[in-house]
Amino acid sequence: PGGRGNAGGLCHHRINYDKYHPGYFGKVGMRYFHKTQNKFFCPTVNLDRIWSLVTEQTREKYAKETDKAPVIDVVRAGYYKVLGKGHLPTQPVIVKAKFFSK
């Protein structure tokens, strides 16, 4: 009686599908043929974790030398993008990355 599983969604059970599951049938968006994920590989790190990528001795060394700023290369640590969450200490720092969020 009625069929097995989701049978009849387009004919004799259509009222139920349209009423309780709108949008169940159809397509959304554009197709992407042969999508390889390598292009979209972009590991991220938040701003408040930047100083954890260098040693504590490095941070203390540059805290004393105010005429120089340390360069933190996040790509060497395995991250490509720096996000803006969190706060940095007032100590100046240069951050090298492939991408930055606004």
Side-chain angles (χ1 to χ4, degrees):
R4 295 184 177 194
N6 293 334
L10 287 174
C11 44
H12 59 282
H13 289 156
R14 171 168 273 181
I15 291 173
N16 181 23
Y17 272 80
D18 288 346
K19 185 174 181 181
Y20 296 110
H21 310 286
Y24 181 80
F25 297 108
K27 298 177 180 158
V28 170
M30 288 190 337
R31 295 184 295 173
Y32 192 119
F33 297 111
H34 193 66
K35 182 177 183 180
T36 53
Q37 294 298 327
N38 300 350
K39 191 181 297 185
F40 305 103
F41 180 76
C42 188
T44 59
V45 63
N46 281 322
L47 205 56
D48 52 6
R49 289 208 43 233
I50 289 287
W51 277 107
S52 67
L53 302 178
V54 293
T55 60
E56 189 67 26
Q57 294 133 349
T58 308
R59 192 181 67 75
E60 291 168 357
K61 174 187 166 192
Y62 285 102
K64 294 172 188 154
E65 298 180 28
T66 54
D67 56 335
K68 291 183 184 175
V71 177
I72 300 178
D73 190 0
V74 297
V75 179
R76 271 188 59 207
Y79 300 103
Y80 286 0
K81 187 172 186 176
V82 176
L83 306 178
K85 179 188 172 214
H87 297 286
L88 283 175
T90 55
Q91 186 173 344
V93 63
I94 299 169
V95 179
K96 287 174 69 176
K98 290 186 177 186
F99 307 104
F100 292 92
S101 66
K102 354 188 305 191

